[in-house]
Amino acid sequence: MTAILLIGNGAREHAIAEAIVRSNENPELFAYMKSNNPGIAGLCDDIQIGSYSDLDEIKAFAQSIVPDFAFIGPEDPLNKGVVDALESIGIPCVGPKKELAKLETSKSFTRLLMKKYDIKGNPKFRVFESMAGIKEFLAELDGSVIKPDGLTGGKGIRVQGDHYETDEDALKYCKEVLEKHPSVIIEEKLEGEEFSLQCFTDGVNVVDCPPVQDHKRAYVDDKGPNTGGMGSYSDSDHLLPFLKKEDVEDAHEITVKMAKAIKEETEELYKGVMYGGFIVTKNGVMLIEYNARLGDPEAMNVLTILKSDFVELCRGIINGNLDEYDIEFDNMATVCKYAVPEGYPINPVKNEKVSLSDVPKDTDVFYASVDKKEDGLYMTGSRAIAFVGIGSDIEEAQVKAENAVCSVKGKVFHREDIGTKELIQKRIDHIRELRG
Ligand code: AMP
Ligand code: GLY
């Protein structure tokens, strides 16, 4: 009997759990979670609640199961060395070791590796350990982006024009960053449309999921503060309406070269997910950043239409024969919309009840930051519940996701514009204008 240990407790992991239990192997599922996600718990034979820092507890839980392998969902446990800990007791993992998860956890590691191995897709950038030279470098750039070198949950990045205006402001923020982090990365501000290309790799072979576009800003029309992602869409032809096939091929090529560079640099195989955040610009496809895990919400767009066996895919990653695995997705469009607590992300309401009693049956529901109590479901302050509509085109999927997210009762809001014709047309026009 196949047994699998899943680590993580968000909507992304709920989607991963669904993909695991759908497998022809009929696996037993076990989850180690920071908080009790009722969606995941409902699919599991056993769960344990604990901290991702408690490597001994994670190992003890794993030893009580002896799973075929573990799948690590979020970046936090990867950064804490959960893979190193589990592999030390003979449990193979889908997810990179701590040293290799630097692909996500250290922005300088990734930029410098791309540069060293001459992989195209880097903007102009420099890494600074002190304030010396920052002023001069800022003067060379048309627009700048400032990134602390470390995991900041996406909240440490500042973009000129969005978060600050002048070079003076930039200098002030760099100083602040250097007080808390060993270094700061300054890079050229890129202009274009972003897309996520989530890839699975065994360290050599790289297989793509369909590209997805996420929506980071909290409010309609890309206004308001950045969030973990309010929703996302993918198209039935496995492209996006503003992307050309060559754009996705270029992004894939960058990821293949990066996997190779990591192997050469570290003498280790990167096993797991390489999720590139790319941007298509007037000069082609550039890399914004890599993540060492699936995206949240983007995982829900791709795993809901994955046709091939997910457990077999994981085995291919672990055994190094991903080239023999035929990854297949349904030719369907998907739209994911998150219901989030009022006030999110700055001052969210907490401990407020939500009811899903009226949710239509034609959408997939994934639980995120909710707590199941005896008298119902309560929100805990972060993104609460995700709804995925699937349709033959984006509009059909959008209508389903919108109807579902609107049916939630409680103090929640969502972005009505995700996946709508109007917003997608804006993306198309933006790229058309840039490409001239
Ligand atoms: P996160 O993905 O949460 O780390 O947030 C990073 C966001 O900052 C990206 O999604 C982009 O919108 C923006 N960003 C990062 N680097 C650049 C860049 N070089 N040019 C323009 N925008 C950037
Ligand atoms: N959706 C953005 C992320 O997962 O990082």
Side-chain angles (χ1 to χ4, degrees):
M1 179 96 192
T2 304
I4 296 166
L5 170 61
L6 173 64
I7 297 187
N9 58 274
R12 165 185 48 212
E13 287 75 28
H14 186 182
I16 294 168
E18 296 259 0
I20 290 173
V21 299
R22 269 203 322 261
S23 165
N24 288 331
E25 291 190 31
N26 231 334
E28 283 185 315
L29 181 63
F30 300 84
Y32 184 95
M33 301 187 272
K34 206 166 65 175
S35 61
N36 190 355
N37 179 318
I40 299 173
L43 298 169
C44 283
D45 289 81
D46 194 13
I47 61 162
Q48 181 151 337
I49 308 297
S51 152
Y52 298 144
S53 310
D54 196 341
L55 299 182
D56 287 336
E57 195 174 324
I58 295 172
K59 279 199 283 188
F61 185 55
Q63 263 158 336
S64 73
I65 302 161
V66 197
D68 292 55
F69 63 85
F71 192 108
I72 291 79
E75 63 275 27
D76 188 22
L78 293 172
N79 187 39
K80 300 241 159 76
V82 165
V83 171
D84 308 63
L86 289 175
E87 289 190 350
S88 77
I89 54 167
I91 295 167
C93 292
V94 180
K97 289 184 179 166
K98 185 181 164 98
E99 183 63 17
L100 304 195
K102 272 164 72 183
L103 184 70
E104 170 165 2
T105 60
S106 166
K107 307 235 178 245
S108 62
F109 171 81
T110 300
R111 287 278 182 237
L112 292 168
L113 196 69
M114 279 181 88
K115 187 172 171 200
K116 179 171 172 187
Y117 287 84
D118 210 11
I119 300 168
K120 66 167 198 180
N122 256 345
K124 262 194 213 165
F125 79 100
R126 271 184 64 187
V127 184
F128 294 92
E129 279 155 24
S130 75
M131 293 299 291
I134 293 188
K135 197 171 166 199
E136 292 73 14
F137 186 60
L138 285 170
E140 283 177 35
L141 302 176
D142 270 343
S144 58
V145 178
I146 302 171
K147 304 181 173 184
D149 202 7
L151 267 190
T152 58
K155 297 193 178 73
I157 296 175
R158 301 255 170 111
V159 180
Q160 192 164 24
D162 286 347
H163 306 107
Y164 65 91
E165 295 301 328
T166 64
D167 284 2
E168 298 289 287
D169 301 338
L171 285 166
K172 226 159 92 193
Y173 184 57
C174 289
K175 211 164 155 214
E176 226 177 273
V177 170
L178 284 171
E179 277 160 18
K180 281 189 243 149
H181 299 268
S183 50
V184 62
I185 294 104
I186 300 178
E187 53 190 52
E188 167 196 3
K189 180 182 171 181
L190 300 166
E191 162 75 15
E193 280 297 326
E194 291 179 46
F195 66 98
S196 306
L197 188 66
Q198 303 169 94
C199 298
F200 294 100
T201 181
D202 56 14
V204 176
N205 305 292
V206 173
V207 299
D208 298 359
C209 297
V212 180
Q213 189 172 46
D214 185 20
H215 298 72
K216 287 233 158 69
R217 298 298 196 95
Y219 312 137
V220 163
D221 227 4
D222 297 321
K223 301 268 180 351
N226 268 334
T227 69
M230 294 293 290
S232 47
Y233 66 93
S234 69
D235 208 351
S236 57
D237 59 359
H238 302 162
L239 283 174
L240 290 169
F242 58 87
L243 280 184
K244 294 191 284 201
K245 197 160 171 252
E246 301 87 81
D247 298 324
V248 180
E249 285 165 0
D250 288 349
H252 172 82
E253 210 41 48
I254 293 173
T255 299
V256 170
K257 287 185 175 149
M258 278 301 273
K260 194 158 177 250
I262 292 172
K263 182 170 166 251
E264 275 187 51
E265 191 69 12
T266 65
E267 295 178 356
E268 295 251 21
L269 292 169
Y270 184 109
K271 287 181 179 290
V273 177
M274 291 175 73
Y275 146 18
F278 292 97
I279 182 166
V280 41
T281 72
K282 67 176 191 303
N283 300 318
V285 170
M286 311 283 272
L287 178 84
I288 296 269
E289 62 172 0
Y290 269 109
N291 294 310
R293 45 153 182 101
L294 289 168
D296 187 345
E298 296 98 315
M300 291 177 273
N301 296 90
V302 299
L303 293 178
T304 46
I305 55 164
L306 177 68
K307 231 160 94 176
S308 37
D309 194 300
F310 186 70
V311 172
E312 210 182 295
L313 167 69
C314 296
R315 291 197 189 281
I317 293 170
I318 290 162
N319 298 332
N321 55 358
L322 212 44
D323 52 331
E324 292 164 23
Y325 177 77
D326 191 13
I327 196 162
E328 269 192 274
F329 295 89
D330 289 320
N331 281 98
M332 298 296 271
T334 66
V335 173
C336 177
K337 299 199 188 204
Y338 254 117
V340 305
E342 283 176 9
Y344 173 81
I346 293 169
N347 195 14
V349 296
K350 287 184 185 158
N351 259 319
E352 288 285 343
K353 209 168 175 178
V354 273
S355 163
L356 303 185
S357 58
D358 290 342
V359 173
K361 296 272 174 290
D362 63 354
T363 39
D364 288 310
V365 180
F366 298 102
Y367 294 96
S369 287
V370 285
D371 189 11
K372 194 174 180 183
K373 296 185 186 170
E374 265 174 26
D375 66 334
L377 213 52
Y378 286 79
M379 294 190 286
T380 54
S382 199
R383 294 176 294 178
I385 306 136
F387 300 90
V388 179
I390 299 176
S392 53
D393 58 24
I394 297 174
E395 180 57 16
E396 189 186 334
Q398 191 280 131
V399 170
K400 285 185 184 170
E402 182 65 21
N403 286 340
V405 73
C406 283
S407 73
V408 178
K409 284 178 279 195
K411 292 189 173 168
V412 291
F413 77 97
H414 71 280
R415 270 187 64 166
E416 296 88 1
D417 60 341
I418 293 171
T420 57
K421 282 193 180 127
E422 295 72 27
L423 192 59
I424 286 172
Q425 191 57 46
K426 257 192 183 163
R427 309 293 193 224
I428 297 170
D429 293 344
H430 184 202
I431 286 300
R432 210 171 266 161
E433 192 189 312
L434 280 178
R435 282 183 162 143

